[in-house]
PDB file of all heavy atoms in Angstrom:
ATOM      1  N   ILE A   9       0.879  -1.197  -0.011  1.00 96.00           N
ATOM      2  CA  ILE A   9      -0.011   0.000  -0.022  1.00 96.00           C
ATOM      3  C   ILE A   9       0.926   1.234   0.001  1.00 96.00           C
ATOM      4  O   ILE A   9       1.795   1.382   0.902  1.00 96.00           O
ATOM      5  CB  ILE A   9      -0.955   0.042   1.244  1.00 96.00           C
ATOM      6  CG1 ILE A   9      -1.719  -1.259   1.271  1.00 96.00           C
ATOM      7  CG2 ILE A   9      -1.863   1.199   1.156  1.00 96.00           C
ATOM      8  CD1 ILE A   9      -2.621  -1.364   2.506  1.00 96.00           C
ATOM      9  N   ILE A  10       0.724   2.086  -0.933  1.00 94.00           N
ATOM     10  CA  ILE A  10       1.719   3.186  -1.215  1.00 94.00           C
ATOM     11  C   ILE A  10       0.969   4.510  -1.216  1.00 94.00           C
ATOM     12  O   ILE A  10       0.017   4.719  -2.088  1.00 94.00           O
ATOM     13  CB  ILE A  10       2.444   2.996  -2.550  1.00 94.00           C
ATOM     14  CG1 ILE A  10       3.075   1.624  -2.605  1.00 94.00           C
ATOM     15  CG2 ILE A  10       3.420   4.116  -2.786  1.00 94.00           C
ATOM     16  CD1 ILE A  10       3.640   1.256  -3.952  1.00 94.00           C
ATOM     17  N   PRO A  11       1.189   5.519  -0.372  1.00 92.00           N
ATOM     18  CA  PRO A  11       0.581   6.757  -0.385  1.00 92.00           C
ATOM     19  C   PRO A  11       1.027   7.544  -1.604  1.00 92.00           C
ATOM     20  O   PRO A  11       2.176   7.368  -2.038  1.00 92.00           O
ATOM     21  CB  PRO A  11       1.059   7.433   0.867  1.00 92.00           C
ATOM     22  CG  PRO A  11       2.353   6.772   1.256  1.00 92.00           C
ATOM     23  CD  PRO A  11       2.288   5.335   0.758  1.00 92.00           C
ATOM     24  N   LEU A  12       0.226   8.385  -2.139  1.00 86.00           N
ATOM     25  CA  LEU A  12       0.614   9.240  -3.336  1.00 86.00           C
ATOM     26  C   LEU A  12       1.617  10.255  -3.046  1.00 86.00           C
ATOM     27  O   LEU A  12       2.558  10.447  -3.805  1.00 86.00           O
ATOM     28  CB  LEU A  12      -0.645   9.804  -3.958  1.00 86.00           C
ATOM     29  CG  LEU A  12      -1.689   8.881  -4.435  1.00 86.00           C
ATOM     30  CD1 LEU A  12      -2.872   9.573  -5.136  1.00 86.00           C
ATOM     31  CD2 LEU A  12      -1.112   7.855  -5.433  1.00 86.00           C
ATOM     32  N   PRO A  13       1.546  10.928  -1.884  1.00 86.00           N
ATOM     33  CA  PRO A  13       2.581  11.970  -1.568  1.00 86.00           C
ATOM     34  C   PRO A  13       3.882  11.320  -1.410  1.00 86.00           C
ATOM     35  O   PRO A  13       4.105  10.238  -0.843  1.00 86.00           O
ATOM     36  CB  PRO A  13       2.159  12.595  -0.209  1.00 86.00           C
ATOM     37  CG  PRO A  13       0.683  12.279  -0.161  1.00 86.00           C
ATOM     38  CD  PRO A  13       0.441  11.006  -0.803  1.00 86.00           C
ATOM     39  N   HIS A  14       4.976  12.004  -2.016  1.00 87.00           N
ATOM     40  CA  HIS A  14       6.343  11.508  -1.961  1.00 87.00           C
ATOM     41  C   HIS A  14       6.933  11.905  -0.531  1.00 87.00           C
ATOM     42  O   HIS A  14       7.448  13.015  -0.417  1.00 87.00           O
ATOM     43  CB  HIS A  14       7.140  12.048  -3.105  1.00 87.00           C
ATOM     44  CG  HIS A  14       8.608  11.665  -3.143  1.00 87.00           C
ATOM     45  ND1 HIS A  14       8.949  10.319  -3.335  1.00 87.00           N
ATOM     46  CD2 HIS A  14       9.736  12.305  -2.951  1.00 87.00           C
ATOM     47  CE1 HIS A  14      10.297  10.172  -3.359  1.00 87.00           C
ATOM     48  NE2 HIS A  14      10.755  11.415  -3.120  1.00 87.00           N
ATOM     49  N   ALA A  15       6.900  11.040   0.384  1.00 89.00           N
ATOM     50  CA  ALA A  15       7.375  11.388   1.680  1.00 89.00           C
ATOM     51  C   ALA A  15       7.896  10.110   2.412  1.00 89.00           C
ATOM     52  O   ALA A  15       7.372   9.047   2.178  1.00 89.00           O
ATOM     53  CB  ALA A  15       6.192  12.010   2.527  1.00 89.00           C
ATOM     54  N   PRO A  16       8.807  10.337   3.359  1.00 91.00           N
ATOM     55  CA  PRO A  16       9.379   9.114   4.043  1.00 91.00           C
ATOM     56  C   PRO A  16       8.552   8.549   5.155  1.00 91.00           C
ATOM     57  O   PRO A  16       8.619   7.370   5.493  1.00 91.00           O
ATOM     58  CB  PRO A  16      10.709   9.612   4.624  1.00 91.00           C
ATOM     59  CG  PRO A  16      10.497  11.075   4.813  1.00 91.00           C
ATOM     60  CD  PRO A  16       9.506  11.540   3.705  1.00 91.00           C
ATOM     61  N   THR A  17       7.644   9.327   5.761  1.00 93.00           N
ATOM     62  CA  THR A  17       6.851   8.928   6.883  1.00 93.00           C
ATOM     63  C   THR A  17       5.452   9.647   6.758  1.00 93.00           C
ATOM     64  O   THR A  17       5.378  10.609   6.038  1.00 93.00           O
ATOM     65  CB  THR A  17       7.456   9.410   8.254  1.00 93.00           C
ATOM     66  OG1 THR A  17       7.447  10.834   8.312  1.00 93.00           O
ATOM     67  CG2 THR A  17       8.900   8.853   8.397  1.00 93.00           C
ATOM     68  N   ILE A  18       4.523   9.080   7.485  1.00 93.00           N
ATOM     69  CA  ILE A  18       3.198   9.766   7.449  1.00 93.00           C
ATOM     70  C   ILE A  18       3.223  11.200   7.932  1.00 93.00           C
ATOM     71  O   ILE A  18       2.764  12.114   7.441  1.00 93.00           O
ATOM     72  CB  ILE A  18       2.118   8.854   8.289  1.00 93.00           C
ATOM     73  CG1 ILE A  18       1.728   7.746   7.510  1.00 93.00           C
ATOM     74  CG2 ILE A  18       0.991   9.773   8.693  1.00 93.00           C
ATOM     75  CD1 ILE A  18       0.743   8.048   6.395  1.00 93.00           C
ATOM     76  N   SER A  19       3.954  11.312   9.113  1.00 91.00           N
ATOM     77  CA  SER A  19       3.893  12.690   9.721  1.00 91.00           C
ATOM     78  C   SER A  19       4.751  13.723   8.919  1.00 91.00           C
ATOM     79  O   SER A  19       4.456  14.890   9.142  1.00 91.00           O
ATOM     80  CB  SER A  19       4.526  12.521  11.173  1.00 91.00           C
ATOM     81  OG  SER A  19       5.851  12.048  11.125  1.00 91.00           O
ATOM     82  N   SER A  20       5.588  13.278   8.026  1.00 91.00           N
ATOM     83  CA  SER A  20       6.257  14.216   7.188  1.00 91.00           C
ATOM     84  C   SER A  20       5.418  14.817   6.004  1.00 91.00           C
ATOM     85  O   SER A  20       5.810  15.662   5.367  1.00 91.00           O
ATOM     86  CB  SER A  20       7.534  13.620   6.604  1.00 91.00           C
ATOM     87  OG  SER A  20       7.239  12.523   5.662  1.00 91.00           O
ATOM     88  N   MET A  21       4.199  14.157   5.887  1.00 90.00           N
ATOM     89  CA  MET A  21       3.260  14.665   4.807  1.00 90.00           C
ATOM     90  C   MET A  21       2.534  15.904   5.303  1.00 90.00           C
ATOM     91  O   MET A  21       1.915  16.568   4.431  1.00 90.00           O
ATOM     92  CB  MET A  21       2.262  13.605   4.510  1.00 90.00           C
ATOM     93  CG  MET A  21       2.911  12.322   3.866  1.00 90.00           C
ATOM     94  SD  MET A  21       1.558  11.087   3.559  1.00 90.00           S
ATOM     95  CE  MET A  21       2.630   9.627   3.342  1.00 90.00           C
ATOM     96  N   GLY A  22       2.513  16.194   6.551  1.00 89.00           N
ATOM     97  CA  GLY A  22       1.747  17.330   7.007  1.00 89.00           C
ATOM     98  C   GLY A  22       1.203  17.076   8.403  1.00 89.00           C
ATOM     99  O   GLY A  22       1.556  16.151   9.060  1.00 89.00           O
ATOM    100  N   SER A  23       0.298  18.033   8.816  1.00 91.00           N
ATOM    101  CA  SER A  23      -0.307  17.812  10.154  1.00 91.00           C
ATOM    102  C   SER A  23      -0.953  16.536  10.363  1.00 91.00           C
ATOM    103  O   SER A  23      -1.723  16.083   9.477  1.00 91.00           O
ATOM    104  CB  SER A  23      -1.286  19.063  10.359  1.00 91.00           C
ATOM    105  OG  SER A  23      -2.049  18.831  11.508  1.00 91.00           O
ATOM    106  N   THR A  24      -0.787  15.972  11.472  1.00 91.00           N
ATOM    107  CA  THR A  24      -1.506  14.702  11.782  1.00 91.00           C
ATOM    108  C   THR A  24      -2.836  14.962  12.611  1.00 91.00           C
ATOM    109  O   THR A  24      -3.466  13.933  13.056  1.00 91.00           O
ATOM    110  CB  THR A  24      -0.625  13.743  12.643  1.00 91.00           C
ATOM    111  OG1 THR A  24      -0.141  14.414  13.783  1.00 91.00           O
ATOM    112  CG2 THR A  24       0.609  13.328  11.704  1.00 91.00           C
ATOM    113  N   SER A  25      -3.071  16.213  12.850  1.00 90.00           N
ATOM    114  CA  SER A  25      -4.349  16.547  13.550  1.00 90.00           C
ATOM    115  C   SER A  25      -5.349  17.255  12.727  1.00 90.00           C
ATOM    116  O   SER A  25      -6.521  17.248  13.109  1.00 90.00           O
ATOM    117  CB  SER A  25      -3.954  17.389  14.897  1.00 90.00           C
ATOM    118  OG  SER A  25      -3.282  18.586  14.450  1.00 90.00           O
ATOM    119  N   ASP A  26      -4.906  17.782  11.610  1.00 91.00           N
ATOM    120  CA  ASP A  26      -5.825  18.481  10.678  1.00 91.00           C
ATOM    121  C   ASP A  26      -6.470  17.499   9.779  1.00 91.00           C
ATOM    122  O   ASP A  26      -5.780  16.812   8.924  1.00 91.00           O
ATOM    123  CB  ASP A  26      -5.038  19.558   9.883  1.00 91.00           C
ATOM    124  CG  ASP A  26      -5.951  20.289   8.880  1.00 91.00           C
ATOM    125  OD1 ASP A  26      -7.230  19.985   8.851  1.00 91.00           O
ATOM    126  OD2 ASP A  26      -5.357  21.152   8.146  1.00 91.00           O
ATOM    127  N   PRO A  27      -7.770  17.197   9.788  1.00 91.00           N
ATOM    128  CA  PRO A  27      -8.422  16.215   9.060  1.00 91.00           C
ATOM    129  C   PRO A  27      -8.292  16.462   7.497  1.00 91.00           C
ATOM    130  O   PRO A  27      -8.549  15.521   6.732  1.00 91.00           O
ATOM    131  CB  PRO A  27      -9.837  16.247   9.493  1.00 91.00           C
ATOM    132  CG  PRO A  27     -10.056  17.546  10.139  1.00 91.00           C
ATOM    133  CD  PRO A  27      -8.756  17.980  10.765  1.00 91.00           C
ATOM    134  N   THR A  28      -7.946  17.675   7.092  1.00 89.00           N
ATOM    135  CA  THR A  28      -7.853  17.934   5.707  1.00 89.00           C
ATOM    136  C   THR A  28      -6.388  17.808   5.133  1.00 89.00           C
ATOM    137  O   THR A  28      -6.197  17.975   3.961  1.00 89.00           O
ATOM    138  CB  THR A  28      -8.327  19.358   5.377  1.00 89.00           C
ATOM    139  OG1 THR A  28      -7.450  20.361   5.992  1.00 89.00           O
ATOM    140  CG2 THR A  28      -9.794  19.618   5.893  1.00 89.00           C
ATOM    141  N   SER A  29      -5.530  17.470   5.954  1.00 90.00           N
ATOM    142  CA  SER A  29      -4.093  17.385   5.657  1.00 90.00           C
ATOM    143  C   SER A  29      -3.832  16.126   4.770  1.00 90.00           C
ATOM    144  O   SER A  29      -4.575  15.165   4.866  1.00 90.00           O
ATOM    145  CB  SER A  29      -3.154  17.436   6.780  1.00 90.00           C
ATOM    146  OG  SER A  29      -3.180  16.192   7.509  1.00 90.00           O
ATOM    147  N   ASP A  30      -2.734  16.218   3.966  1.00 89.00           N
ATOM    148  CA  ASP A  30      -2.403  15.037   3.220  1.00 89.00           C
ATOM    149  C   ASP A  30      -2.016  13.813   4.104  1.00 89.00           C
ATOM    150  O   ASP A  30      -2.373  12.706   3.793  1.00 89.00           O
ATOM    151  CB  ASP A  30      -1.094  15.311   2.417  1.00 89.00           C
ATOM    152  CG  ASP A  30      -1.377  16.270   1.188  1.00 89.00           C
ATOM    153  OD1 ASP A  30      -2.546  16.461   0.892  1.00 89.00           O
ATOM    154  OD2 ASP A  30      -0.360  16.741   0.546  1.00 89.00           O
ATOM    155  N   ALA A  31      -1.500  14.081   5.272  1.00 92.00           N
ATOM    156  CA  ALA A  31      -1.115  13.016   6.218  1.00 92.00           C
ATOM    157  C   ALA A  31      -2.310  12.218   6.693  1.00 92.00           C
ATOM    158  O   ALA A  31      -2.368  11.028   6.674  1.00 92.00           O
ATOM    159  CB  ALA A  31      -0.307  13.545   7.338  1.00 92.00           C
ATOM    160  N   VAL A  32      -3.315  12.985   7.130  1.00 94.00           N
ATOM    161  CA  VAL A  32      -4.562  12.362   7.694  1.00 94.00           C
ATOM    162  C   VAL A  32      -5.277  11.657   6.584  1.00 94.00           C
ATOM    163  O   VAL A  32      -5.699  10.498   6.734  1.00 94.00           O
ATOM    164  CB  VAL A  32      -5.417  13.443   8.349  1.00 94.00           C
ATOM    165  CG1 VAL A  32      -6.781  12.763   8.842  1.00 94.00           C
ATOM    166  CG2 VAL A  32      -4.644  14.006   9.599  1.00 94.00           C
ATOM    167  N   ARG A  33      -5.467  12.272   5.447  1.00 92.00           N
ATOM    168  CA  ARG A  33      -6.162  11.641   4.410  1.00 92.00           C
ATOM    169  C   ARG A  33      -5.466  10.415   3.900  1.00 92.00           C
ATOM    170  O   ARG A  33      -6.099   9.372   3.634  1.00 92.00           O
ATOM    171  CB  ARG A  33      -6.417  12.622   3.204  1.00 92.00           C
ATOM    172  CG  ARG A  33      -7.277  13.821   3.531  1.00 92.00           C
ATOM    173  CD  ARG A  33      -7.782  14.498   2.248  1.00 92.00           C
ATOM    174  NE  ARG A  33      -6.772  14.767   1.299  1.00 92.00           N
ATOM    175  CZ  ARG A  33      -6.090  15.924   1.238  1.00 92.00           C
ATOM    176  NH1 ARG A  33      -6.424  16.897   2.129  1.00 92.00           N
ATOM    177  NH2 ARG A  33      -5.147  16.120   0.412  1.00 92.00           N
ATOM    178  N   ALA A  34      -4.136  10.410   3.728  1.00 93.00           N
ATOM    179  CA  ALA A  34      -3.411   9.271   3.254  1.00 93.00           C
ATOM    180  C   ALA A  34      -3.541   8.103   4.300  1.00 93.00           C
ATOM    181  O   ALA A  34      -3.776   6.968   3.898  1.00 93.00           O
ATOM    182  CB  ALA A  34      -1.886   9.623   3.020  1.00 93.00           C
ATOM    183  N   TYR A  35      -3.336   8.454   5.602  1.00 95.00           N
ATOM    184  CA  TYR A  35      -3.336   7.416   6.686  1.00 95.00           C
ATOM    185  C   TYR A  35      -4.739   6.737   6.642  1.00 95.00           C
ATOM    186  O   TYR A  35      -4.818   5.467   6.745  1.00 95.00           O
ATOM    187  CB  TYR A  35      -3.053   8.028   7.959  1.00 95.00           C
ATOM    188  CG  TYR A  35      -2.857   7.018   9.060  1.00 95.00           C
ATOM    189  CD1 TYR A  35      -1.661   6.357   9.218  1.00 95.00           C
ATOM    190  CD2 TYR A  35      -3.958   6.763   9.930  1.00 95.00           C
ATOM    191  CE1 TYR A  35      -1.522   5.423  10.283  1.00 95.00           C
ATOM    192  CE2 TYR A  35      -3.784   5.778  10.982  1.00 95.00           C
ATOM    193  CZ  TYR A  35      -2.555   5.118  11.085  1.00 95.00           C
ATOM    194  OH  TYR A  35      -2.421   4.264  12.094  1.00 95.00           O
ATOM    195  N   LYS A  36      -5.838   7.481   6.575  1.00 95.00           N
ATOM    196  CA  LYS A  36      -7.092   7.005   6.601  1.00 95.00           C
ATOM    197  C   LYS A  36      -7.380   6.059   5.414  1.00 95.00           C
ATOM    198  O   LYS A  36      -7.967   4.899   5.575  1.00 95.00           O
ATOM    199  CB  LYS A  36      -8.200   8.137   6.636  1.00 95.00           C
ATOM    200  CG  LYS A  36      -8.255   8.730   7.969  1.00 95.00           C
ATOM    201  CD  LYS A  36      -9.427   9.756   8.003  1.00 95.00           C
ATOM    202  CE  LYS A  36      -9.544  10.390   9.400  1.00 95.00           C
ATOM    203  NZ  LYS A  36     -10.612  11.474   9.419  1.00 95.00           N
ATOM    204  N   GLU A  37      -7.005   6.417   4.231  1.00 95.00           N
ATOM    205  CA  GLU A  37      -7.289   5.551   3.099  1.00 95.00           C
ATOM    206  C   GLU A  37      -6.311   4.399   3.047  1.00 95.00           C
ATOM    207  O   GLU A  37      -6.728   3.296   2.661  1.00 95.00           O
ATOM    208  CB  GLU A  37      -7.160   6.316   1.744  1.00 95.00           C
ATOM    209  CG  GLU A  37      -7.633   5.585   0.525  1.00 95.00           C
ATOM    210  CD  GLU A  37      -7.764   6.454  -0.707  1.00 95.00           C
ATOM    211  OE1 GLU A  37      -6.712   6.571  -1.434  1.00 95.00           O
ATOM    212  OE2 GLU A  37      -8.827   6.955  -0.936  1.00 95.00           O
ATOM    213  N   MET A  38      -5.061   4.489   3.559  1.00 96.00           N
ATOM    214  CA  MET A  38      -4.241   3.347   3.632  1.00 96.00           C
ATOM    215  C   MET A  38      -4.800   2.334   4.559  1.00 96.00           C
ATOM    216  O   MET A  38      -4.793   1.165   4.275  1.00 96.00           O
ATOM    217  CB  MET A  38      -2.804   3.758   4.057  1.00 96.00           C
ATOM    218  CG  MET A  38      -2.018   4.528   3.033  1.00 96.00           C
ATOM    219  SD  MET A  38      -0.430   5.233   3.655  1.00 96.00           S
ATOM    220  CE  MET A  38       0.549   3.770   3.634  1.00 96.00           C
ATOM    221  N   SER A  39      -5.273   2.796   5.694  1.00 96.00           N
ATOM    222  CA  SER A  39      -5.945   1.940   6.660  1.00 96.00           C
ATOM    223  C   SER A  39      -7.173   1.237   6.123  1.00 96.00           C
ATOM    224  O   SER A  39      -7.452   0.039   6.357  1.00 96.00           O
ATOM    225  CB  SER A  39      -6.388   2.706   7.929  1.00 96.00           C
ATOM    226  OG  SER A  39      -5.179   3.276   8.543  1.00 96.00           O
ATOM    227  N   ARG A  40      -7.906   1.984   5.302  1.00 96.00           N
ATOM    228  CA  ARG A  40      -9.156   1.443   4.626  1.00 96.00           C
ATOM    229  C   ARG A  40      -8.769   0.327   3.707  1.00 96.00           C
ATOM    230  O   ARG A  40      -9.407  -0.658   3.695  1.00 96.00           O
ATOM    231  CB  ARG A  40      -9.936   2.566   3.954  1.00 96.00           C
ATOM    232  CG  ARG A  40     -11.260   2.164   3.490  1.00 96.00           C
ATOM    233  CD  ARG A  40     -12.080   3.273   2.947  1.00 96.00           C
ATOM    234  NE  ARG A  40     -13.283   2.893   2.406  1.00 96.00           N
ATOM    235  CZ  ARG A  40     -14.134   3.682   1.749  1.00 96.00           C
ATOM    236  NH1 ARG A  40     -13.835   4.923   1.438  1.00 96.00           N
ATOM    237  NH2 ARG A  40     -15.334   3.249   1.326  1.00 96.00           N
ATOM    238  N   PHE A  41      -7.758   0.515   2.943  1.00 96.00           N
ATOM    239  CA  PHE A  41      -7.294  -0.501   2.008  1.00 96.00           C
ATOM    240  C   PHE A  41      -6.866  -1.741   2.799  1.00 96.00           C
ATOM    241  O   PHE A  41      -7.217  -2.864   2.398  1.00 96.00           O
ATOM    242  CB  PHE A  41      -6.105   0.020   1.134  1.00 96.00           C
ATOM    243  CG  PHE A  41      -6.498   0.558  -0.229  1.00 96.00           C
ATOM    244  CD1 PHE A  41      -6.037   1.823  -0.591  1.00 96.00           C
ATOM    245  CD2 PHE A  41      -7.334  -0.166  -1.098  1.00 96.00           C
ATOM    246  CE1 PHE A  41      -6.418   2.373  -1.839  1.00 96.00           C
ATOM    247  CE2 PHE A  41      -7.701   0.354  -2.302  1.00 96.00           C
ATOM    248  CZ  PHE A  41      -7.229   1.635  -2.691  1.00 96.00           C
ATOM    249  N   ARG A  42      -6.096  -1.601   3.877  1.00 96.00           N
ATOM    250  CA  ARG A  42      -5.627  -2.649   4.625  1.00 96.00           C
ATOM    251  C   ARG A  42      -6.781  -3.488   5.258  1.00 96.00           C
ATOM    252  O   ARG A  42      -6.794  -4.619   5.104  1.00 96.00           O
ATOM    253  CB  ARG A  42      -4.651  -2.181   5.763  1.00 96.00           C
ATOM    254  CG  ARG A  42      -4.234  -3.268   6.745  1.00 96.00           C
ATOM    255  CD  ARG A  42      -3.079  -2.755   7.645  1.00 96.00           C
ATOM    256  NE  ARG A  42      -3.466  -1.519   8.409  1.00 96.00           N
ATOM    257  CZ  ARG A  42      -4.139  -1.585   9.554  1.00 96.00           C
ATOM    258  NH1 ARG A  42      -4.423  -2.771  10.151  1.00 96.00           N
ATOM    259  NH2 ARG A  42      -4.360  -0.449  10.134  1.00 96.00           N
ATOM    260  N   GLU A  43      -7.770  -2.715   5.730  1.00 96.00           N
ATOM    261  CA  GLU A  43      -8.906  -3.427   6.335  1.00 96.00           C
ATOM    262  C   GLU A  43      -9.742  -4.086   5.294  1.00 96.00           C
ATOM    263  O   GLU A  43     -10.314  -5.195   5.559  1.00 96.00           O
ATOM    264  CB  GLU A  43      -9.691  -2.372   7.077  1.00 96.00           C
ATOM    265  CG  GLU A  43      -9.078  -1.900   8.388  1.00 96.00           C
ATOM    266  CD  GLU A  43      -9.660  -0.617   8.876  1.00 96.00           C
ATOM    267  OE1 GLU A  43     -10.607  -0.092   8.304  1.00 96.00           O
ATOM    268  OE2 GLU A  43      -9.133  -0.066   9.925  1.00 96.00           O
ATOM    269  N   SER A  44      -9.841  -3.484   4.117  1.00 96.00           N
ATOM    270  CA  SER A  44     -10.570  -4.204   3.053  1.00 96.00           C
ATOM    271  C   SER A  44      -9.982  -5.437   2.519  1.00 96.00           C
ATOM    272  O   SER A  44     -10.641  -6.479   2.310  1.00 96.00           O
ATOM    273  CB  SER A  44     -10.768  -3.165   1.845  1.00 96.00           C
ATOM    274  OG  SER A  44     -11.487  -2.062   2.246  1.00 96.00           O
ATOM    275  N   ILE A  45      -8.667  -5.455   2.434  1.00 97.00           N
ATOM    276  CA  ILE A  45      -7.918  -6.662   1.985  1.00 97.00           C
ATOM    277  C   ILE A  45      -7.997  -7.701   3.061  1.00 97.00           C
ATOM    278  O   ILE A  45      -8.250  -8.904   2.792  1.00 97.00           O
ATOM    279  CB  ILE A  45      -6.400  -6.289   1.728  1.00 97.00           C
ATOM    280  CG1 ILE A  45      -6.313  -5.457   0.570  1.00 97.00           C
ATOM    281  CG2 ILE A  45      -5.593  -7.574   1.503  1.00 97.00           C
ATOM    282  CD1 ILE A  45      -4.891  -4.880   0.283  1.00 97.00           C
ATOM    283  N   GLN A  46      -7.969  -7.311   4.356  1.00 96.00           N
ATOM    284  CA  GLN A  46      -8.095  -8.248   5.468  1.00 96.00           C
ATOM    285  C   GLN A  46      -9.466  -8.956   5.342  1.00 96.00           C
ATOM    286  O   GLN A  46      -9.551 -10.211   5.442  1.00 96.00           O
ATOM    287  CB  GLN A  46      -7.951  -7.540   6.840  1.00 96.00           C
ATOM    288  CG  GLN A  46      -6.532  -7.102   7.160  1.00 96.00           C
ATOM    289  CD  GLN A  46      -6.507  -6.287   8.395  1.00 96.00           C
ATOM    290  OE1 GLN A  46      -5.434  -6.031   8.861  1.00 96.00           O
ATOM    291  NE2 GLN A  46      -7.648  -5.838   8.949  1.00 96.00           N
TER     292      GLN A  46
END
């Protein structure tokens, strides 16, 4: 599962508390993919 933003970590993508940030959106969708595959 690969996030679209070119970044080494989730937190380096942006704010982890702002729901509109790249970090939060990427983490939520990555988690959704993982749970769907499970």
